[in-house]
Amino acid sequence: MAGAEGDDSLYPIAVLIDELRNEDVQLRLNSIKKLSTIALALGVERTRTELLPFLTDTIYDEDEVLLALAEQLGSFTVLVGGPEFVHNLLPPLESLATVEETVVRDKAVESLRKISQEHSPVDLEVHFVPLVKRLASGDWFTSRTSACGLFSVCYPRVSSTVKAEIRQHFRTLCSDDTPMVRRAAASKLGEFAKVLELDYVKSDIIPLFTALASDEQDSVRLLAVEAGVSIATLLPQEDLEALVMPTLRQAAEDKSWRVRYMVADKFSELQKAVGPEITKTDLVPAFQNLLKDCEAEVRAAAANKVKVFCENLPEDSRETIIMTHILPCVKELVSDTNQHVKSALASVIMGLSTILGKDNTVEHLLPLFLVQLKDECPEVRLNIISNLDCVNEVIGIRQLSQSLLPAIVELAEDAKWRVRLAIIEYMPLLAGQLGVEFFDEKLNSLCMAWLIDHVFAIREAATCNLMKLVEKFGAEWAQNTIVPKVLGMANDSNYLHRMTTLFCINALSGVCGQEITTKHMLPVVLKMSTDQVANVRFNVARCLQKIGPVLDSSALQAEVKPVLEKLATDQDMDVKYFALEAISGTFPFISLTFET
Amino acid sequence: MLSPVLCSDLAALEPEYTEADVISTVEFNQSGEFLATGDRGGRVVIFQREPQGEYNVYSTFQSHEPEFDYLKSLEIEEKINKIRWLPLHNPAHFLLATNDKTIKLWKVSERDKRAEGYNLRDEEGRLKDLSTVTTLQVPVLRPMDLLVEASPRRVFANGHAYHINSISVNSDCETYLSADDLRINLWHLNITDRSFNIVDLKPENMEDLSEVITVAEFHPHHCHLLAFSSSTGTTRLCDMRARALCDQHAKLFEEAVDPSRRSFFSEIVSSVSDVKFSHSGRYLLTRDYLTVKVWDLNMENKPVETYQVHDYLRTKLCSLYESDCIFDKFECAWNGTDSVIMTGAYNNYFRMFDRASLRDVTLEASREVCKRRAVLQPRRVCVGKKRKETDVSVDSLDFRKKILHTAWHPKENIIAIAASNNLYIFQDRLTPNGHHNTPEIQSAPPKWQTQPNPPTY
């Protein structure tokens, strides 16, 4: 089809092709991303015979180009002539699957997996499986690691002889010399097990799992944990004890903290996979041990799972298990020496109250919350505060308010601005739960104080916070409590505070509505147009543009327009610029010319 | 058997050389087919072993440039402190090179094909007449002369507040460590923006500082073990399985110092300047100023072997202190079968110790003696009167000529010795190519020979 329409249509394609080998990476990348356009122009025949061979050898390129290429080839089937010819895509993807860069290899494998589905069963055995075997027995570990991800996609669709070969190759890779390949095999073990017949899971996968789980490298062992979880879901309950549990138990007590960490991290999945009985007999004690682990990383990972683990305990014995086995450990963690452990716990501990109900919460959990609210580490306190809603549903927040307030005040005045920023973000939530009265009494002054914080990010967050509060409490509340204070700052001697007034008005005008904006805010803004600081003046212009839509047309014409026109003749360039912007934004149909 | 042979003379014919040419690290790759050197000028030179056995320059590239840290008002030298090869990945070779602050991962690869055929231009790059372009042409790859390219793959920056003294690749092939004076960080080879601090010796108050880390190395087989040594003469073994922070060591290798021999210099000379695990993983080799020691990992309280490198300097420590020579950091190396130890000394001398026979030898790597295919003659340093014409008196040793960096081929009897700007490669004359023989030091003159053809640089 190329050439038929003459040179004009050829030209852009010719440029694209030439740029496949441009020295500029960006141009090559652009070209590769339009590979489908090139292929379309070349037609399926030339794509197969010329373009793909060229691409197969283009493995010297930069990672980003190779990555884009690997991705493109995954959806190239139509461009090479449909499923019948899909195997033509295998050579370039095969060479991409052996490069050293992990992301490129992974993408090539992903594309190979995708196009494997487009192979007919015959093509799969004739073309795809040989490729997998070549990769699996490649000289370099890069190709062998890539092979690990391809077994599971071809296994279900090949004859039983080929199946046996595939299993054999997988077995070989599981005992490869290089840890990289063993890791790749371990991470695909669960996935491969899923496509195997149950008998082979028992006869093949279990021994591999056991071997990988006792590998000399802990980086391999820890990946076997995840595989163990997947395998456990495949086996009937009665086989679990004999086939999987000994290995998993061993993993939970592994010498290496990284392996135990992995067990803790996968604990909820594990719990689901093994079912309620084994959970009661095995996982509960294992979980207790993880919560008491000597390595803080492990404790933190386990602490993160406390809520989900408790939630998923069998209902008949849930409360007993929590009260007698889990809660004692949790109590210790509350005063852990490591702050990451404490803050991990703080992010989930509130969730226990819904599980345990009102009485237990008041008696057992509340004291823990109170301790954590006083924790020296701000993150712990923040995590408690950010999860208050769970407790609110069970016992109401009032129970906590005595301790809550000092904690909030302290965070609000923390020396680190990021901590202050975090607590500001919870203010609307807290306000909603504590109610307007409590808020006015205790927290309002904090919210106003943030407006004059010396860090801009805090002032900005504070204005946004005010807007959300008004959304919650309504315009009337705004007019009585915060608007006067905000407008008062317009007379502050510090120009940054005067600007804050403008920023607040920007944020509040919408939620406060036309009346308050026109009556109270607009006069202040207009007055500030004569401020001696140019930054304030051009923010007046921006502010007027912002609040324009809230105002009615008479106010716009009578009050806003003259001021903007005046600002548009300001001495300062920026003021002029923003004034003109505001005019053209607010009065789009009036074109004014100003002498400069 | 030990007989070294000259290999390469980097400064070629020029006796004059600049500071930037001084070699600062030497390292064979895992197969021994390649040898990399780094120098003070931030360059990395890679040598490849030819089928005939000689090492010739394969690739040269600028790894690090001088930099300036504006925040700390600190100049960062481009000098390559360490090079470590990654285990073979694919046909390309990868190595880590570090200066004081930044570690870089380099890929050295070959290219022998070139794309040909443009649509809109001819091969010289001139635009074609568009009317002649009637069909689309897909470029074709054609063979070309072999091109070796070095490309930076990753830059691991900002991980260290102090000067990096060591890097070591883990046997898991996905992580490596980097150590500076006070901390050891663990990196993932694919992740440049974060590293984990696994050892931190920095005291709350810097005035309480009593020791600095001098070297750190991973165990060759066990991915969880690492050893690091300190300026106080101790070497610690850490087990990364036990906890995420390895501040508490699993083992501490330290020899009690005889109080009667204690002097002002005791601590300085006991500072460990290099640590190497044996290939078997069973032993640790440590070098301090006057000795090399072999430690059994199973025995912490004293070394199983101690070899005097230049004991005659014990009486000269005062002047060595004044000239700062006492702070020189000599490296040490095992041979492929862990039976011979090599380390450097002054006056362009280096020493070898045969562990089984307890024989030792002093050899010299210098332009004068290392003629092509020449067999190295042993040297003897004497304290008192010269017994032989060839003996050298302690007082005439040149302390400016020092051999700090040495490397031993992982399998064969080939050694690389860096002496200021010169790299010498010696090989056991009796070792036929590709064959192993058990090295031993003979009392007869060792027959290490210089490599026949000095590579051109």
Side-chain angles (χ1 to χ4, degrees):
Chain A
M1 68 197 264
E5 293 111 302
D7 300 350
D8 285 357
S9 66
L10 272 187
Y11 184 73
I13 307 290
V15 171
L16 274 183
I17 295 181
D18 285 359
E19 283 182 354
L20 279 176
R21 37 183 292 217
N22 197 294
E23 279 180 15
D24 184 343
V25 184
Q26 200 50 48
L27 291 178
R28 289 204 302 277
L29 190 59
N30 288 343
S31 230
I32 285 282
K33 285 184 174 160
K34 298 207 178 82
L35 207 55
S36 53
T37 314
I38 297 176
L40 209 55
L42 289 171
V44 293
E45 176 77 35
R46 293 191 66 193
T47 299
R48 291 199 300 264
T49 55
E50 294 177 44
L51 185 61
L52 289 181
F54 171 69
L55 295 175
T56 305
D57 285 334
T58 319
I59 50 163
Y60 301 111
D61 215 324
E62 303 284 332
D63 302 335
E64 43 193 324
V65 178
L66 297 182
L67 182 67
L69 177 59
E71 186 170 9
Q72 292 278 310
L73 292 176
S75 40
F76 233 60
T77 311
V78 184
L79 298 162
V80 292
E84 200 184 326
F85 295 98
V86 67
H87 61 266
N88 283 286
L89 295 173
L90 298 180
L93 284 171
E94 182 176 353
S95 61
L96 288 169
T98 62
V99 300
E100 71 277 357
E101 192 56 54
T102 318
V103 282
V104 176
R105 277 200 321 264
D106 288 351
K107 188 56 87 178
V109 169
E110 192 184 315
S111 289
L112 279 170
R113 289 168 68 112
K114 207 164 145 194
I115 64 166
S116 73
Q117 302 308 320
E118 285 155 352
H119 282 70
S120 68
V122 177
D123 280 350
L124 201 67
E125 285 197 21
V126 176
H127 299 289
F128 198 87
V129 172
L131 165 131
V132 177
K133 288 185 197 164
R134 273 198 304 280
L135 288 174
S137 46
D139 283 343
W140 307 109
F141 83 77
T142 45
S143 79
R144 301 199 298 277
T145 51
S146 292
C148 293
L150 297 172
F151 292 112
S152 64
V153 289
C154 36
Y155 189 84
R157 301 176 57 212
V158 293
S159 68
S160 54
T161 347
V162 180
K163 279 185 177 175
E165 286 173 29
I166 291 180
R167 287 196 304 273
Q168 180 53 43
H169 274 289
F170 195 83
R171 261 200 301 276
T172 314
L173 292 178
C174 284
S175 53
D176 195 278
D177 282 345
T178 64
M180 312 294 274
V181 178
R182 296 204 301 277
R183 274 199 294 277
S187 65
K188 300 291 177 194
L189 185 66
E191 177 192 286
F192 188 53
K194 277 185 193 148
V195 299
L196 248 61
E197 298 79 0
L198 186 59
D199 283 345
Y200 289 122
V201 172
K202 289 188 201 170
S203 65
D204 281 35
I205 297 291
I206 297 293
L208 293 177
F209 166 61
T210 316
L212 290 169
S214 48
D215 195 282
E216 56 169 18
Q217 295 252 343
D218 54 3
S219 60
V220 178
R221 293 204 299 277
L222 64 88
L223 290 169
V225 172
E226 206 174 349
V229 174
S230 314
I231 295 168
T233 55
L234 302 172
L235 293 174
Q237 191 72 28
E238 63 269 21
D239 288 330
L240 284 177
E241 180 51 45
L243 298 179
V244 188
M245 285 317 291
T247 311
L248 285 176
R249 255 181 237 127
Q250 177 196 320
E253 290 166 5
D254 197 284
K255 236 183 154 172
S256 166
W257 69 268
R258 293 204 292 169
V259 178
R260 300 196 304 273
Y261 172 91
M262 207 60 173
V263 175
D265 197 47
K266 301 279 167 229
F267 217 78
S268 353
E269 290 89 338
L270 184 61
Q271 186 184 10
K272 278 187 200 128
V274 298
E277 277 318 305
I278 295 182
T279 297
K280 272 195 257 178
T281 56
D282 272 276
L283 295 195
V284 171
F287 194 59
Q288 284 176 290
N289 286 339
L290 292 171
L291 288 173
K292 292 186 215 152
D293 199 279
C294 60
E295 171 56 47
E297 300 280 347
V298 179
R299 292 200 301 277
N304 258 321
K305 304 286 169 189
V306 164
K307 183 194 161 202
V308 189
F309 181 73
C310 293
E311 251 172 10
N312 294 333
L313 284 170
E315 215 159 315
D316 55 340
S317 49
R318 185 189 291 158
E319 195 174 320
T320 338
I321 294 178
I322 298 177
M323 296 308 291
T324 54
H325 299 292
I326 307 297
L327 205 57
C329 301
V330 169
K331 277 182 186 158
E332 279 174 41
L333 288 184
V334 165
S335 48
D336 198 280
T337 48
N338 185 296
Q339 67 175 54
H340 298 294
V341 177
K342 286 188 289 188
S343 76
L345 182 69
S347 65
V348 296
I349 189 174
M350 311 291 268
L352 289 180
S353 48
T354 34
I355 306 170
L356 287 178
K358 190 172 174 183
D359 293 342
N360 280 328
T361 302
V362 173
E363 196 186 332
H364 298 285
L365 292 177
L366 198 56
L368 302 182
F369 301 158
L370 296 179
V371 172
Q372 293 218 300
L373 270 178
K374 295 191 190 95
D375 198 279
E376 55 182 10
C377 163
E379 208 179 317
V380 176
R381 284 174 267 151
L382 268 176
N383 280 348
I384 290 289
I385 289 171
S386 60
N387 287 297
L388 279 175
D389 45 340
C390 320
V391 187
N392 198 18
E393 288 160 20
V394 183
I395 57 169
I397 209 163
R398 289 279 162 180
Q399 294 259 24
L400 272 176
S401 54
Q402 284 304 317
S403 317
L404 200 51
L405 197 65
I408 294 172
V409 172
E410 211 176 299
L411 287 168
E413 289 162 358
D414 196 281
K416 296 195 191 73
W417 68 267
R418 285 175 208 278
V419 174
R420 300 202 294 276
L421 187 64
I423 187 72
I424 293 176
E425 276 157 16
Y426 293 118
M427 268 300 150
L429 179 83
L430 285 171
Q433 292 179 354
L434 293 166
V436 66
E437 242 170 75
F438 185 90
F439 183 87
D440 280 346
E441 198 181 314
K442 315 275 188 186
L443 299 179
N444 195 5
S445 54
L446 281 181
C447 292
M448 300 317 289
W450 283 321
L451 288 175
I452 51 169
D453 197 283
H454 58 273
V455 174
F456 178 74
I458 299 296
R459 298 198 298 273
E460 194 185 27
T463 54
C464 185
N465 172 45
L466 288 185
M467 182 181 81
K468 289 184 187 148
L469 289 175
V470 177
E471 278 170 359
K472 271 219 157 70
F473 294 149
E476 196 184 330
W477 172 83
Q479 193 185 344
N480 293 330
T481 52
I482 57 171
V483 172
K485 291 186 192 166
V486 166
L487 297 182
M489 283 164 59
N491 301 318
D492 200 290
S493 59
N494 185 334
Y495 83 98
L496 290 173
H497 297 171
R498 299 202 293 278
M499 294 220 298
T500 304
T501 300
L502 292 171
F503 297 144
C504 285
I505 290 172
N506 286 344
L508 292 177
S509 62
V511 282
C512 285
Q514 194 183 60
E515 199 197 328
I516 296 178
T517 308
T518 318
K519 242 165 107 183
H520 300 280
M521 297 178 178
L522 184 61
V524 176
V525 179
L526 296 175
K527 206 174 132 216
M528 288 168 84
S529 69
T530 54
D531 198 287
Q532 55 183 342
V533 178
N535 295 38
V536 176
R537 293 201 302 279
F538 79 63
N539 273 299
V540 165
R542 294 170 73 178
C543 178
L544 287 173
Q545 181 176 7
K546 185 98 187 175
I547 67 174
V550 186
L551 302 171
D552 65 23
S553 57
S554 66
L556 279 175
Q557 288 296 336
E559 302 183 63
V560 175
K561 207 168 121 190
V563 171
L564 281 178
E565 283 170 359
K566 183 157 166 276
L567 287 174
T569 59
D570 200 278
Q571 295 283 312
D572 187 277
M573 254 173 60
D574 295 320
V575 177
K576 216 186 286 182
Y577 171 81
F578 284 110
L580 288 171
E581 282 274 283
I583 290 168
S584 61
T586 317
F587 310 99
F589 305 113
I590 306 168
S591 69
L592 297 164
T593 47
F594 294 97
E595 283 167 37
T596 48
Chain B
M1 77 150 293
L2 285 193
S3 70
V5 198
L6 163 70
C7 147
S8 94
D9 187 346
L10 291 185
L13 301 169
E14 274 186 80
E16 292 293 311
Y17 62 91
T18 61
E19 184 70 10
D21 297 326
V22 173
I23 297 172
S24 52
T25 180
V26 184
E27 186 80 8
F28 279 103
N29 80 336
Q30 276 78 0
S31 69
E33 191 199 345
F34 290 89
L35 171 71
T37 63
D39 65 24
R40 286 178 173 268
R43 279 165 307 197
V44 172
V45 182
I46 296 172
F47 299 89
Q48 185 185 29
R49 195 176 186 199
E50 302 295 330
Q52 301 80 23
E54 291 154 32
Y55 283 82
N56 284 327
V57 175
Y58 177 70
S59 172
T60 304
F61 58 92
Q62 187 75 33
S63 173
H64 286 72
E65 304 274 357
E67 282 176 89
F68 192 80
D69 181 343
Y70 293 95
L71 280 179
K72 298 195 184 112
S73 257
L74 209 66
E75 264 184 71
I76 303 168
E77 275 186 283
E78 66 273 34
K79 179 188 149 215
I80 308 290
N81 289 344
K82 280 278 154 56
I83 290 177
R84 285 290 179 270
W85 293 84
L86 263 55
L88 286 174
H89 264 164
N90 62 8
H93 293 88
F94 292 81
L95 55 85
L96 290 167
T98 187
N99 67 351
D100 285 341
K101 296 287 175 191
T102 308
I103 304 152
K104 293 184 180 178
L105 175 66
W106 286 90
K107 173 186 177 182
V108 182
S109 57
E110 296 179 358
R111 176 190 292 224
D112 56 1
K113 282 187 189 144
R114 192 164 73 89
E116 277 178 15
Y118 278 114
N119 283 296
L120 303 175
R121 273 175 291 159
D122 59 25
E123 280 312 305
E124 275 77 53
R126 285 183 300 255
L127 280 178
K128 286 181 190 168
D129 180 0
L130 283 185
S131 62
T132 63
V133 181
T134 52
T135 54
L136 289 173
Q137 191 188 352
V138 178
V140 196
L141 291 162
R142 302 239 184 266
M144 64 164 189
D145 288 345
L146 185 72
L147 181 72
V148 179
E149 300 174 305
S151 47
R153 304 295 290 186
R154 308 248 192 281
V155 177
F156 304 90
N158 305 320
H160 287 277
Y162 304 93
H163 289 181
I164 299 175
N165 53 44
S166 317
I167 43 179
S168 173
V169 181
N170 192 312
S171 61
D172 68 10
C173 303
E174 68 173 358
T175 54
Y176 74 91
L177 67 75
S178 59
D180 67 22
D181 299 336
L182 294 178
R183 299 193 178 101
I184 300 178
N185 291 341
L186 183 69
W187 302 81
H188 191 287
L189 282 163
N190 286 339
I191 301 169
T192 56
D193 61 355
R194 110 188 79 116
S195 70
F196 294 99
N197 178 242
I198 48 175
V199 174
D200 189 349
L201 294 191
K202 189 172 182 224
E204 291 272 307
N205 183 352
M206 280 299 264
E207 282 170 16
D208 300 333
L209 186 67
S210 59
E211 62 174 335
V212 295
I213 299 169
T214 51
V215 204
E217 199 186 43
F218 270 124
H219 190 279
H221 317 305
H222 295 306
C223 65
H224 52 267
L225 288 182
L226 70 102
F228 73 90
S229 62
S230 92
S231 56
T232 56
T234 60
T235 303
R236 275 166 263 197
L237 189 73
C238 298
D239 186 342
M240 299 203 298
R241 292 175 303 182
R243 46 187 73 235
L245 274 177
C246 297
D247 288 348
Q248 286 162 329
H249 53 264
K251 294 198 172 192
L252 179 75
F253 301 92
E254 186 177 24
E255 190 176 25
V257 183
D258 180 0
S260 63
R261 298 190 73 179
R262 210 171 252 293
S263 73
F264 172 72
F265 303 110
S266 296
E267 188 171 323
I268 301 177
V269 297
S270 69
S271 173
V272 178
S273 58
D274 199 15
V275 173
K276 291 275 161 64
F277 276 102
S278 63
H279 295 86
S280 67
R282 168 83 186 262
Y283 300 102
L284 269 175
L285 179 64
T286 62
R287 168 75 207 251
D288 55 40
Y289 191 62
L290 295 175
T291 66
V292 266
K293 293 172 179 157
V294 177
W295 303 78
D296 187 328
L297 288 193
N298 300 323
M299 185 162 80
E300 295 167 69
N301 60 352
K302 62 171 189 281
V304 285
E305 294 153 37
T306 301
Y307 301 98
Q308 300 297 335
V309 178
H310 36 208
D311 204 43
Y312 42 78
L313 295 183
R314 205 173 277 283
T315 54
K316 306 252 169 229
L317 293 179
C318 204
S319 64
L320 289 167
Y321 179 76
E322 276 160 16
S323 63
D324 272 355
C325 282
I326 201 167
F327 300 107
D328 284 336
K329 297 185 93 185
F330 291 100
E331 291 175 5
C332 53
W334 297 89
N335 72 336
T337 54
D338 299 337
S339 57
V340 183
I341 292 159
M342 171 174 63
T343 191
Y346 290 107
N347 207 38
N348 278 344
Y349 288 178
F350 61 97
R351 303 266 289 144
M352 286 184 175
F353 305 93
D354 185 312
R355 297 178 60 206
S357 66
L358 297 182
R359 293 199 192 112
D360 65 271
V361 66
T362 304
L363 298 167
E364 181 177 356
S366 68
R367 301 170 60 82
E368 294 75 36
V369 297
C370 295
K371 300 287 182 281
R372 183 176 301 183
R373 289 206 181 276
V375 173
L376 292 185
Q377 301 301 319
R379 303 287 172 198
R380 223 177 69 85
V381 179
C382 57
V383 183
K385 253 182 67 183
K386 281 191 181 184
R387 279 192 289 166
K388 268 199 270 174
E389 187 58 25
T390 50
D391 284 0
V392 177
S393 126
V394 177
D395 296 319
S396 60
L397 290 178
D398 187 343
F399 289 100
R400 285 166 310 167
K401 294 179 176 167
K402 39 194 143 193
I403 291 179
L404 300 176
H405 313 287
T406 59
W408 202 311
H409 187 289
K411 296 185 185 86
E412 295 176 37
N413 277 337
I414 297 175
I415 55 173
I417 307 283
S420 70
N421 63 324
N422 296 316
L423 176 70
Y424 300 93
I425 298 178
F426 303 107
Q427 61 190 42
D428 188 334
R429 195 183 57 174
L430 299 184
T431 313
N433 281 334
H435 285 258
H436 285 235
N437 78 343
T438 333
E440 53 175 299
I441 297 177
Q442 298 191 329
S443 48
K447 300 199 177 48
W448 286 85
Q449 238 182 8
T450 52
Q451 174 174 312
N453 299 307
T456 41
Y457 189 54

